[in-house]
Amino acid sequence: MLPLRVHLQYKMSVLHPRSLIGCMVRRIPEGSTERYTRWINEITQDQLISQVYTSHGPTVIMPSWFCSRHWFDRVGSFDEGGKGVPEDLLFFYQSLRQGGGVARVDQCLLVYRYHEKAATHSVLEETIWNLRVDFLQERVLCRWESFTIWNAGKQGRKLYRSLSPANQKKVKAFCDVDENKIRKGFYTYEESKEKPKPKIPVLHYKEASSPFIVCVKLDMTGGVLEENLHALQLREGVDYYHFN
């Protein structure tokens, strides 16, 4: 911990007694998980809530958490299942379910070490995926009558296959920028037991309609994805949510 961490996070927790309070971090060794570290430090206060469904996990990282004992007890403590249990993600989701908020002190107050034997590496990717899909369905998709999956590639199709049958029927289209996928015209859900098998249209993103679940990795397109979303005048947390 760096000087003033407890003081500054305590002050914020007094203002947000039902929130998990985080902070900015410095990663060592220098340059470790560069994209992830940039995300931790640079997402906005609004995105601390809107980006809770991404593969990065909790929008304020567990080593930086600060909250009252009252809130900790209200949420219900940690899952002590041991190796392979993403206890931080489970606690984070439960805090949100209880009506909790998320806030961040916008100062670097923590040195966050990366090492290859960290417990986080023992958690299976599929475990995290299933938790995220369930939380997305519970918090977002249950409120939408229909939606578009932004990405007709591997990740978008995987999300579609992972949805409940009721939410699969809400998918009105996939959209993409890849002309080959768009030219094909549709995605056939071959694993479906329905006859005929569901065929979901694949559109150019400019022809698709909101709301969207965006299955394109953040910070990996040189700003193109973000520019496309901005050009359509879409509002994060209203017209779209990031999932990857």
Side-chain angles (χ1 to χ4, degrees):
M1 294 195 299
L2 297 175
L4 297 180
R5 177 187 172 186
V6 173
H7 173 67
L8 293 175
Q9 289 190 292
Y10 173 76
K11 283 179 65 178
M12 182 169 277
S13 75
V14 170
L15 299 174
H16 304 278
R18 295 160 56 90
S19 292
L20 292 178
I21 313 298
C23 64
M24 293 179 170
V25 304
R26 176 165 59 85
R27 203 90 209 247
I28 56 172
E30 191 75 29
S32 300
T33 60
E34 188 174 353
R35 286 177 53 244
Y36 178 50
T37 305
R38 187 160 53 243
W39 179 80
I40 292 168
N41 291 332
E42 294 184 3
I43 59 173
T44 67
Q45 294 287 339
D46 288 341
Q47 289 172 327
L48 294 178
I49 293 296
S50 65
Q51 293 196 7
V52 298
Y53 309 102
T54 71
S55 57
H56 283 324
T59 48
V60 288
I61 60 167
M62 187 175 70
S64 74
W65 286 356
F66 188 108
C67 69
S68 69
R69 165 60 70 174
H70 171 77
W71 187 250
F72 181 81
D73 291 338
R74 167 77 178 272
V75 174
S77 192
F78 284 99
D79 185 316
E80 298 291 352
K83 188 175 181 180
V85 174
E87 74 278 0
D88 60 337
L89 187 62
L90 292 170
F91 187 93
F92 184 71
Y93 283 172
Q94 191 58 24
S95 179
L96 294 172
R97 288 187 179 106
Q98 294 285 339
V102 188
R104 185 187 64 217
V105 176
D106 286 339
Q107 278 183 237
C108 180
L109 303 174
L110 182 76
V111 176
Y112 183 30
R113 182 182 297 277
Y114 173 85
H115 60 97
E116 293 180 358
K117 295 183 180 180
T120 186
H121 299 307
S122 70
V123 182
L124 296 176
E125 184 177 329
E126 203 63 19
T127 299
I128 299 292
W129 175 273
N130 291 334
L131 287 170
R132 291 171 52 225
V133 170
D134 289 348
F135 198 59
L136 178 73
Q137 295 189 109
E138 171 192 330
R139 304 277 291 191
V140 177
L141 302 187
C142 68
R143 299 187 281 106
W144 288 353
E145 294 183 0
S146 63
F147 63 98
T148 302
I149 296 177
W150 190 305
N151 185 355
K154 181 179 177 182
Q155 292 294 301
R157 296 195 304 268
K158 182 179 179 181
L159 173 61
Y160 174 83
R161 293 193 300 270
S162 301
L163 297 175
S164 68
N167 282 324
Q168 285 178 348
K169 292 183 185 302
K170 293 181 181 182
V171 178
K172 54 189 172 183
F174 291 89
C175 72
D176 213 291
V177 296
D178 187 326
E179 292 296 339
N180 291 328
K181 295 184 180 73
I182 296 166
R183 195 177 299 115
K184 187 175 180 181
F186 57 85
Y187 163 68
T188 304
Y189 182 29
E190 297 290 355
E191 293 89 343
S192 175
K193 294 179 181 178
E194 292 183 32
K195 292 184 179 180
K197 295 184 185 300
K199 289 188 175 183
I200 297 86
V202 178
L203 308 174
H204 189 278
Y205 76 90
K206 290 183 179 178
E207 305 300 322
S209 57
S210 63
F212 298 94
I213 298 298
V214 181
C215 290
V216 180
K217 288 184 178 180
L218 288 162
D219 198 17
M220 287 288 282
T221 62
V224 172
L225 171 65
E226 291 77 9
E227 287 175 9
N228 290 342
L229 291 167
H230 180 71
L232 295 178
Q233 298 183 319
L234 300 173
R235 297 162 294 169
E236 185 172 357
V238 177
D239 301 311
Y240 70 93
Y241 285 90
H242 284 287
F243 186 71
N244 272 37

Short mmCIF file of all heavy atoms in Angstrom, two decimals, residues 106-133:
data_model
loop_
_atom_site.label_atom_id
_atom_site.label_comp_id
_atom_site.label_asym_id
_atom_site.label_seq_id
_atom_site.Cartn_x
_atom_site.Cartn_y
_atom_site.Cartn_z
N ASP A 106 -9.26 8.21 -7.49
CA ASP A 106 -8.45 8.37 -8.69
C ASP A 106 -7.04 8.84 -8.37
O ASP A 106 -6.56 9.87 -8.85
CB ASP A 106 -9.15 9.31 -9.68
CG ASP A 106 -10.33 8.63 -10.36
OD1 ASP A 106 -10.36 7.38 -10.39
OD2 ASP A 106 -11.22 9.34 -10.86
N GLN A 107 -6.39 8.04 -7.53
CA GLN A 107 -4.96 8.19 -7.23
C GLN A 107 -4.37 6.80 -7.14
O GLN A 107 -5.06 5.85 -6.75
CB GLN A 107 -4.75 8.90 -5.89
CG GLN A 107 -4.83 10.41 -5.96
CD GLN A 107 -4.54 11.06 -4.61
OE1 GLN A 107 -5.35 11.81 -4.08
NE2 GLN A 107 -3.37 10.78 -4.06
N CYS A 108 -3.09 6.68 -7.50
CA CYS A 108 -2.41 5.40 -7.36
C CYS A 108 -2.07 5.19 -5.88
O CYS A 108 -1.23 5.90 -5.33
CB CYS A 108 -1.14 5.38 -8.21
SG CYS A 108 -0.25 3.80 -8.09
N LEU A 109 -2.73 4.22 -5.27
CA LEU A 109 -2.55 3.96 -3.84
C LEU A 109 -2.09 2.53 -3.55
O LEU A 109 -2.01 2.13 -2.39
CB LEU A 109 -3.88 4.21 -3.10
CG LEU A 109 -4.49 5.61 -3.25
CD1 LEU A 109 -5.86 5.65 -2.58
CD2 LEU A 109 -3.56 6.66 -2.65
N LEU A 110 -1.78 1.78 -4.62
CA LEU A 110 -1.46 0.37 -4.43
C LEU A 110 -0.44 -0.08 -5.47
O LEU A 110 -0.57 0.26 -6.65
CB LEU A 110 -2.74 -0.47 -4.58
CG LEU A 110 -2.60 -1.97 -4.37
CD1 LEU A 110 -2.48 -2.30 -2.88
CD2 LEU A 110 -3.81 -2.70 -4.96
N VAL A 111 0.54 -0.84 -5.04
CA VAL A 111 1.47 -1.51 -5.95
C VAL A 111 0.98 -2.95 -6.09
O VAL A 111 0.83 -3.66 -5.09
CB VAL A 111 2.91 -1.48 -5.41
CG1 VAL A 111 3.84 -2.27 -6.35
CG2 VAL A 111 3.40 -0.05 -5.28
N TYR A 112 0.69 -3.34 -7.31
CA TYR A 112 0.02 -4.61 -7.59
C TYR A 112 0.99 -5.53 -8.32
O TYR A 112 1.28 -5.32 -9.50
CB TYR A 112 -1.23 -4.30 -8.43
CG TYR A 112 -2.13 -5.44 -8.79
CD1 TYR A 112 -2.26 -6.57 -7.98
CD2 TYR A 112 -2.89 -5.39 -9.96
CE1 TYR A 112 -3.12 -7.59 -8.31
CE2 TYR A 112 -3.75 -6.41 -10.31
CZ TYR A 112 -3.86 -7.51 -9.48
OH TYR A 112 -4.71 -8.53 -9.83
N ARG A 113 1.50 -6.55 -7.64
CA ARG A 113 2.53 -7.41 -8.20
C ARG A 113 1.93 -8.51 -9.08
O ARG A 113 0.94 -9.14 -8.73
CB ARG A 113 3.34 -8.07 -7.07
CG ARG A 113 4.48 -8.98 -7.59
CD ARG A 113 5.22 -9.64 -6.44
NE ARG A 113 5.86 -8.64 -5.60
CZ ARG A 113 7.05 -8.10 -5.85
NH1 ARG A 113 7.70 -8.43 -6.96
NH2 ARG A 113 7.58 -7.22 -5.03
N TYR A 114 2.57 -8.73 -10.23
CA TYR A 114 2.20 -9.84 -11.10
C TYR A 114 3.21 -10.97 -10.91
O TYR A 114 4.41 -10.74 -10.90
CB TYR A 114 2.22 -9.41 -12.57
CG TYR A 114 2.01 -10.56 -13.54
CD1 TYR A 114 0.72 -10.97 -13.87
CD2 TYR A 114 3.09 -11.26 -14.08
CE1 TYR A 114 0.51 -12.03 -14.74
CE2 TYR A 114 2.88 -12.33 -14.95
CZ TYR A 114 1.60 -12.70 -15.27
OH TYR A 114 1.40 -13.76 -16.11
N HIS A 115 2.70 -12.19 -10.73
CA HIS A 115 3.61 -13.35 -10.74
C HIS A 115 2.85 -14.56 -11.26
O HIS A 115 1.63 -14.67 -11.13
CB HIS A 115 4.22 -13.61 -9.36
CG HIS A 115 3.21 -13.91 -8.29
ND1 HIS A 115 2.89 -15.19 -7.91
CD2 HIS A 115 2.47 -13.08 -7.51
CE1 HIS A 115 1.98 -15.15 -6.94
NE2 HIS A 115 1.71 -13.89 -6.68
N GLU A 116 3.58 -15.49 -11.86
CA GLU A 116 2.98 -16.60 -12.58
C GLU A 116 2.25 -17.60 -11.69
O GLU A 116 1.42 -18.37 -12.17
CB GLU A 116 4.04 -17.33 -13.42
CG GLU A 116 4.60 -16.47 -14.55
CD GLU A 116 5.66 -17.19 -15.37
OE1 GLU A 116 5.97 -18.35 -15.02
OE2 GLU A 116 6.15 -16.59 -16.35
N LYS A 117 2.55 -17.61 -10.38
CA LYS A 117 1.91 -18.57 -9.48
C LYS A 117 0.73 -17.96 -8.73
O LYS A 117 0.23 -18.54 -7.77
CB LYS A 117 2.94 -19.12 -8.48
CG LYS A 117 4.04 -19.94 -9.16
CD LYS A 117 5.00 -20.53 -8.16
CE LYS A 117 6.09 -21.36 -8.85
NZ LYS A 117 7.04 -21.94 -7.87
N ALA A 118 0.25 -16.81 -9.18
CA ALA A 118 -0.90 -16.18 -8.54
C ALA A 118 -2.12 -17.10 -8.63
O ALA A 118 -2.30 -17.82 -9.61
CB ALA A 118 -1.21 -14.84 -9.21
N ALA A 119 -2.95 -17.05 -7.60
CA ALA A 119 -4.12 -17.94 -7.53
C ALA A 119 -5.09 -17.73 -8.68
O ALA A 119 -5.81 -18.64 -9.09
CB ALA A 119 -4.85 -17.74 -6.20
N THR A 120 -5.09 -16.51 -9.24
CA THR A 120 -6.03 -16.22 -10.33
C THR A 120 -5.83 -17.15 -11.52
O THR A 120 -6.78 -17.45 -12.25
CB THR A 120 -5.89 -14.74 -10.77
OG1 THR A 120 -6.92 -14.45 -11.72
CG2 THR A 120 -4.53 -14.47 -11.42
N HIS A 121 -4.59 -17.65 -11.70
CA HIS A 121 -4.32 -18.52 -12.85
C HIS A 121 -4.93 -19.92 -12.68
O HIS A 121 -4.97 -20.69 -13.64
CB HIS A 121 -2.81 -18.64 -13.07
CG HIS A 121 -2.14 -17.33 -13.37
ND1 HIS A 121 -2.56 -16.49 -14.36
CD2 HIS A 121 -1.08 -16.71 -12.79
CE1 HIS A 121 -1.79 -15.41 -14.40
NE2 HIS A 121 -0.90 -15.53 -13.44
N SER A 122 -5.40 -20.24 -11.47
CA SER A 122 -6.00 -21.56 -11.24
C SER A 122 -7.48 -21.60 -11.59
O SER A 122 -8.10 -22.66 -11.60
CB SER A 122 -5.81 -21.97 -9.77
OG SER A 122 -6.62 -21.17 -8.93
N VAL A 123 -8.06 -20.45 -11.88
CA VAL A 123 -9.49 -20.39 -12.20
C VAL A 123 -9.68 -20.65 -13.69
O VAL A 123 -9.08 -19.98 -14.53
CB VAL A 123 -10.09 -19.02 -11.82
CG1 VAL A 123 -11.58 -18.99 -12.13
CG2 VAL A 123 -9.83 -18.70 -10.35
N LEU A 124 -10.51 -21.63 -14.01
CA LEU A 124 -10.73 -21.99 -15.40
C LEU A 124 -11.48 -20.88 -16.14
O LEU A 124 -12.41 -20.27 -15.60
CB LEU A 124 -11.54 -23.29 -15.49
CG LEU A 124 -10.88 -24.55 -14.93
CD1 LEU A 124 -11.84 -25.71 -15.02
CD2 LEU A 124 -9.58 -24.86 -15.67
N GLU A 125 -11.07 -20.65 -17.38
CA GLU A 125 -11.71 -19.63 -18.20
C GLU A 125 -13.21 -19.91 -18.36
O GLU A 125 -14.03 -19.00 -18.35
CB GLU A 125 -11.03 -19.59 -19.57
CG GLU A 125 -11.56 -18.50 -20.49
CD GLU A 125 -10.81 -18.46 -21.81
OE1 GLU A 125 -9.62 -18.80 -21.85
OE2 GLU A 125 -11.46 -18.10 -22.82
N GLU A 126 -13.55 -21.20 -18.48
CA GLU A 126 -14.96 -21.55 -18.67
C GLU A 126 -15.79 -21.25 -17.42
O GLU A 126 -16.97 -20.90 -17.52
CB GLU A 126 -15.08 -23.04 -19.03
CG GLU A 126 -16.36 -23.40 -19.76
CD GLU A 126 -16.50 -22.72 -21.12
OE1 GLU A 126 -15.49 -22.24 -21.67
OE2 GLU A 126 -17.64 -22.65 -21.63
N THR A 127 -15.18 -21.37 -16.24
CA THR A 127 -15.87 -21.02 -15.00
C THR A 127 -16.25 -19.54 -15.00
O THR A 127 -17.39 -19.18 -14.70
CB THR A 127 -14.98 -21.32 -13.78
OG1 THR A 127 -14.67 -22.72 -13.74
CG2 THR A 127 -15.67 -20.93 -12.48
N ILE A 128 -15.28 -18.70 -15.37
CA ILE A 128 -15.53 -17.25 -15.42
C ILE A 128 -16.58 -16.95 -16.49
O ILE A 128 -17.50 -16.15 -16.28
CB ILE A 128 -14.22 -16.49 -15.73
CG1 ILE A 128 -13.18 -16.75 -14.64
CG2 ILE A 128 -14.49 -15.01 -15.89
CD1 ILE A 128 -13.52 -16.15 -13.30
N TRP A 129 -16.45 -17.59 -17.64
CA TRP A 129 -17.39 -17.36 -18.74
C TRP A 129 -18.83 -17.63 -18.30
O TRP A 129 -19.72 -16.81 -18.52
CB TRP A 129 -17.03 -18.25 -19.93
CG TRP A 129 -18.01 -18.16 -21.07
CD1 TRP A 129 -19.16 -18.90 -21.21
CD2 TRP A 129 -17.96 -17.28 -22.19
NE1 TRP A 129 -19.82 -18.53 -22.37
CE2 TRP A 129 -19.10 -17.55 -22.98
CE3 TRP A 129 -17.05 -16.31 -22.61
CZ2 TRP A 129 -19.36 -16.87 -24.17
CZ3 TRP A 129 -17.31 -15.63 -23.79
CH2 TRP A 129 -18.45 -15.90 -24.56
N ASN A 130 -19.06 -18.77 -17.67
CA ASN A 130 -20.41 -19.14 -17.27
C ASN A 130 -20.98 -18.17 -16.24
O ASN A 130 -22.17 -17.81 -16.31
CB ASN A 130 -20.42 -20.57 -16.71
CG ASN A 130 -20.15 -21.61 -17.78
OD1 ASN A 130 -20.42 -21.38 -18.96
ND2 ASN A 130 -19.61 -22.75 -17.39
N LEU A 131 -20.16 -17.73 -15.29
CA LEU A 131 -20.62 -16.75 -14.31
C LEU A 131 -20.99 -15.44 -14.98
O LEU A 131 -22.02 -14.82 -14.65
CB LEU A 131 -19.52 -16.51 -13.26
CG LEU A 131 -19.29 -17.64 -12.26
CD1 LEU A 131 -18.02 -17.37 -11.45
CD2 LEU A 131 -20.48 -17.79 -11.31
N ARG A 132 -20.18 -15.00 -15.94
CA ARG A 132 -20.43 -13.74 -16.63
C ARG A 132 -21.71 -13.81 -17.46
O ARG A 132 -22.51 -12.87 -17.46
CB ARG A 132 -19.23 -13.38 -17.52
CG ARG A 132 -17.97 -12.99 -16.74
CD ARG A 132 -16.78 -12.87 -17.67
NE ARG A 132 -17.06 -12.01 -18.79
CZ ARG A 132 -16.74 -12.29 -20.06
NH1 ARG A 132 -16.13 -13.42 -20.36
NH2 ARG A 132 -17.01 -11.44 -21.02
N VAL A 133 -21.89 -14.92 -18.18
CA VAL A 133 -23.09 -15.07 -19.00
C VAL A 133 -24.34 -15.05 -18.11
O VAL A 133 -25.32 -14.37 -18.42
CB VAL A 133 -23.03 -16.37 -19.83
CG1 VAL A 133 -24.38 -16.65 -20.50
CG2 VAL A 133 -21.93 -16.30 -20.88
#
